[in-house]
Amino acid sequence: MRPLSRRTFLRGASGVALALPFLDAMRSSRARAQTAPSPRRIMFVFQANGDQTAKRFSAAGETSFQLGEFLAPLEPYREDLVFLNKLHKRFHNLPEDERADNHQQGGSSLAPWKSGTGSFPIGGAETTIGYVEGPSADYVIGGRVLEAEEGVAHRHLVFRIGQKYNNIWNTHAHAGPVGEQNPIPPETDPYEAYARIFSFASDGAAQQEVLRRLAKRQSAIDLVREEGNTLLTKLGAEDRAKVQQHLEALRDVERALQAPSDAAACVPTPLGERLDPYKDENHVIMGELFFKISALAFACDLTRVVNFNWSGNTSNRVYSNLGLSEGHHDISHNSDDAAFADIRKIHKHLWQQNTKLYEILKSTSDGDGTLWDHTLVVHWNELGQGDTHSINDSLVVFAGKAHDHFRRGRLLDFDNKRSFADMLVSCFHYMGFEDVTSFGEDVLNTGGALPLT
């Protein structure tokens, strides 16, 4: 029997098209006979301003640990989680003029490289700094996926809730290459993101116009790439690197345009009443929409890497839904009991929202299981504790069954002896890239992948 296309869409009488999850019927008969494994996916999920380290766990023990107040929403999922406690980000091993403050440098933790020059003020100092000079893990992992799987349309998807503008305090994805500043602006409007990623107008005339524009853009890209490759032979090493970086970005655009044509016939599935994505009170709905978009992109194999951010670092969102009137970042700078109670309240709320992602992954079929079975969710923060701006006691939580790659249901306390960069190496290994033994600046690594398998 001829297999279904991996871009098969269900279309109702209304003309709305919905992409199917990856099904066994989409494999070839030979592949079905061999029960090929489902793809590996990874999703980085960020929340800001540190927490209260002493209140993370009410009891220690690798498997007998007890979750503290703000981590309590994770209790129903503990058997599929790994808590990586007290990882050190080691930024102070960088020269003073090559690191930002802990909020700024911490926000670039997925890109553990030195910072370059720039005009952003460093907190508590009279000097300025720029973005990090190197790529983030989501960008590099996505690139490795594309090298192995040409049919995947998007290297990675980068989302953030709130704030249209971008700066060193809210941009967490970077394209590099090593030695260059190249921040990646995230998508902040889930309605626009859905329309871009999944669908176009289904009306005949509108569809033809879309296809015409795509063809025009495609021919323009072909021309630019041809001229760029010719130019490479006439340039020095530094300029060649810059042109090659530009051509790589064009290839990413080209790859998305080359997605099978039936995707171009789609219109967005209704996402409910359109709300303002930039109002603080809408952050819960925006988060759930981005979670649904991420899961659908995984299920349709349009990408295998997502970088999602509840906010930028130093987020000063006012959580009025929790009865608070002061901004998150402002609260995090206080050390009194009332402030810590509010910090725990905010983080408990965000962890409750994160469990919505878990349920979406659990309910989305994928091959012989669900996306929960075949995805690693990596929760991270720019700081350890907010009031002290600590970086030596970071908490990372791995969630999802992740192809049973990790031994789950554990609390591992690394006592500041292993680094955040080492954790990223473990992410590379999960995604199948075990040749990666370090990531980022050498001084930010301590010993390769963490002992998690």
Side-chain angles (χ1 to χ4, degrees):
M1 181 179 69
R2 184 178 180 181
L4 290 174
S5 166
R6 296 185 72 172
R7 304 290 192 260
T8 298
F9 287 77
L10 294 177
R11 186 177 301 282
S14 65
V16 170
L18 178 64
L20 287 170
F22 182 72
L23 305 174
D24 188 58
M26 293 176 180
R27 308 183 198 274
S28 67
S29 56
R30 180 179 180 182
R32 289 196 296 273
Q34 295 174 337
T35 60
S38 294
R40 299 188 175 210
R41 291 88 166 197
I42 188 167
M43 183 169 178
F44 296 94
V45 176
F46 171 83
Q47 57 199 60
N49 292 324
D51 54 46
Q52 187 178 9
T53 58
K55 298 292 186 178
R56 289 171 178 170
F57 307 97
S58 57
E62 183 173 343
T63 58
S64 60
F65 63 91
Q66 296 297 316
L67 298 177
E69 174 188 348
F70 65 87
L71 290 174
L74 300 180
E75 181 62 33
Y77 307 91
R78 65 180 288 148
E79 293 305 315
D80 288 335
L81 306 177
V82 187
F83 295 89
L84 311 178
N85 199 31
K86 295 185 180 179
L87 292 173
H88 203 313
K89 293 188 175 174
R90 299 174 60 87
F91 297 143
H92 289 292
N93 289 343
L94 295 171
E96 186 173 351
D97 62 347
E98 294 179 351
R99 69 173 186 266
D101 67 34
N102 287 356
H103 271 297
Q104 295 169 327
Q105 200 76 31
S108 66
S109 294
L110 297 185
W113 307 95
K114 65 182 181 181
S115 293
T117 58
S119 60
F120 297 106
I122 300 177
E126 298 298 323
T127 56
T128 58
I129 202 76
Y131 292 102
V132 290
E133 296 185 332
S136 53
D138 54 301
Y139 183 88
V140 178
I141 291 173
R144 295 288 295 266
V145 168
L146 296 185
E147 291 175 5
E149 299 285 347
E150 293 183 356
V152 177
H154 301 282
R155 175 190 298 266
H156 62 165
L157 299 176
V158 185
F159 304 134
R160 184 187 66 227
I161 297 178
Q163 302 177 328
K164 291 183 180 180
Y165 60 87
N166 299 296
N167 56 38
I168 200 170
W169 294 281
N170 65 13
T171 305
H172 300 156
H174 301 264
V178 177
E180 293 190 23
Q181 299 178 46
N182 194 3
I184 299 173
E187 295 186 88
T188 56
D189 185 327
Y191 307 101
E192 292 182 0
Y194 190 93
R196 180 188 71 83
I197 296 166
F198 297 108
S199 58
F200 298 101
S202 61
D203 172 74
Q207 180 181 334
Q208 290 304 312
E209 175 62 15
V210 167
L211 294 176
R212 184 188 68 80
R213 291 182 181 181
L214 287 177
K216 184 176 181 180
R217 290 173 65 189
Q218 181 70 63
S219 62
I221 289 173
D222 289 340
L223 178 61
V224 171
R225 284 189 59 190
E226 181 179 345
E227 293 178 349
N229 287 324
T230 301
L231 183 62
L232 285 175
T233 63
K234 304 175 183 179
L235 299 176
E238 184 175 343
D239 283 339
R240 278 202 305 272
K242 292 180 179 179
V243 172
Q244 285 173 333
Q245 176 185 337
H246 182 65
L247 293 176
E248 184 174 304
L250 287 176
R251 280 192 288 271
D252 283 350
V253 174
E254 181 182 48
R255 189 176 293 107
L257 294 179
Q258 289 175 338
S261 59
D262 49 1
C266 300
V267 296
T269 298
L271 299 179
E273 177 189 0
R274 185 181 178 94
L275 301 175
D276 186 344
Y278 305 107
K279 286 188 176 181
D280 285 352
E281 58 264 34
N282 293 335
H283 71 276
V284 168
I285 295 174
M286 297 305 117
E288 191 164 0
L289 291 180
F290 274 130
F291 286 163
K292 291 178 178 179
I293 290 169
S294 299
L296 188 56
F298 282 157
C300 299
D301 207 22
L302 295 175
T303 192
R304 297 184 186 172
V305 184
V306 173
N307 181 334
F308 169 82
N309 303 272
W310 274 110
S311 66
N313 43 288
T314 70
S315 169
N316 212 31
R317 176 181 295 139
V318 176
Y319 287 89
S320 57
N321 60 305
L322 303 180
L324 304 181
S325 58
E326 191 176 3
H328 185 187
H329 179 244
D330 292 342
I331 296 171
S332 74
H333 273 254
N334 298 322
S335 302
D336 55 65
D337 290 343
F340 276 126
D342 288 343
I343 287 297
R344 294 195 300 273
K345 186 181 295 186
I346 291 170
H347 281 284
K348 182 176 183 179
H349 164 69
L350 291 176
W351 283 113
Q352 287 171 332
Q353 303 316 306
N354 287 329
T355 64
K356 294 179 181 178
L357 171 63
Y358 302 171
E359 291 304 315
I360 291 169
L361 296 177
K362 282 173 170 280
S363 65
T364 305
S365 298
D366 183 57
D368 58 356
T370 68
L371 286 179
W372 183 251
D373 299 316
H374 307 140
T375 301
L376 172 63
V377 180
V378 181
H379 297 281
W380 68 286
N381 197 303
E382 86 265 31
L383 299 175
Q385 184 160 302
D387 65 326
T388 60
H389 284 197
S390 63
I391 60 170
N392 65 336
D393 50 9
S394 297
L395 174 67
V396 172
V397 180
F398 280 2
K401 292 187 176 180
H403 289 80
D404 294 320
H405 183 80
F406 305 104
R407 287 191 292 125
R408 306 183 303 280
R410 297 190 295 159
L411 164 61
L412 302 177
D413 194 325
F414 291 99
D415 195 26
N416 314 327
K417 294 181 174 61
R418 297 300 300 270
S419 75
F420 191 93
D422 297 341
M423 180 277 298
L424 294 177
V425 174
S426 296
C427 295
F428 276 92
H429 286 201
Y430 162 68
M431 290 297 289
F433 309 121
E434 296 189 358
D435 58 303
V436 177
T437 57
S438 67
F439 185 66
E441 303 289 349
D442 288 343
V443 295
L444 303 183
N445 288 261
T446 63
L450 299 175
L452 305 178
T453 57

